[in-house]
Amino acid sequence: EVQLVESGGGLVQAGGSLRLSCAASGFTFDDFAIGWFRQAPGKLREAVSCIASSYGYTYYADSVKGRVTISSDNAKNTVYLQMDSLKPEDTAVYYCAADLSRTCSPILYDYWGQGTQVTVSS
């Protein structure tokens, strides 16, 4: 059974930082791309960042470039999303997801976690 569990969300002030974690199990971690996506109320789900370290693939959305770093600890089957200089518009539920494709489109991802809330106050 594929399982993805997010953690690390919370309430922070603008300019603050959070590190999100995605713990994966039930599949061969190294074969998959892992993505972080977010969805705010009333808005479409959008990509934030994706990684497939075994294939040298990373992606960052323009809206977060320079403020976000994605990393993978393959020994722990865990992907991290370090977020700095957070803005109110970063407020959303953040999901991690896994797929065999090396893309960062939410349409193409098959396996999803339950999400973790990130709220950035002004």
Side-chain angles (χ1 to χ4, degrees), residues 16-18 20 35-39 46-51 58-71 80-95 104 118 120:
S17 298
L18 286 172
L20 307 183
W36 284 98
F37 304 86
R38 66 188 183 187
Q39 188 165 24
E46 64 178 358
V48 178
S49 182
C50 295
I51 187 169
T58 57
Y59 168 86
Y60 294 97
D62 288 342
S63 60
V64 301
K65 283 182 179 178
R67 302 188 296 118
V68 166
T69 302
I70 192 168
S71 61
Y80 304 95
L81 189 73
Q82 177 68 42
M83 302 191 293
D84 302 313
S85 301
L86 285 164
K87 304 174 181 179
E89 52 262 44
D90 295 318
T91 296
V93 177
Y94 283 68
Y95 300 90
C104 205
V118 171
V120 184

Side-chain angles (χ1 to χ4, degrees), residues 4 6 22 27 32-37 45 49-51 79 95-99 106 109-113:
L4 301 165
E6 303 96 333
C22 175
F27 59 95
F32 280 71
I34 305 295
W36 284 98
F37 304 86
R45 189 167 299 183
S49 182
C50 295
I51 187 169
V79 169
Y95 300 90
C96 68
D99 198 74
Y109 276 68
D110 292 327
Y111 307 105
W112 293 82

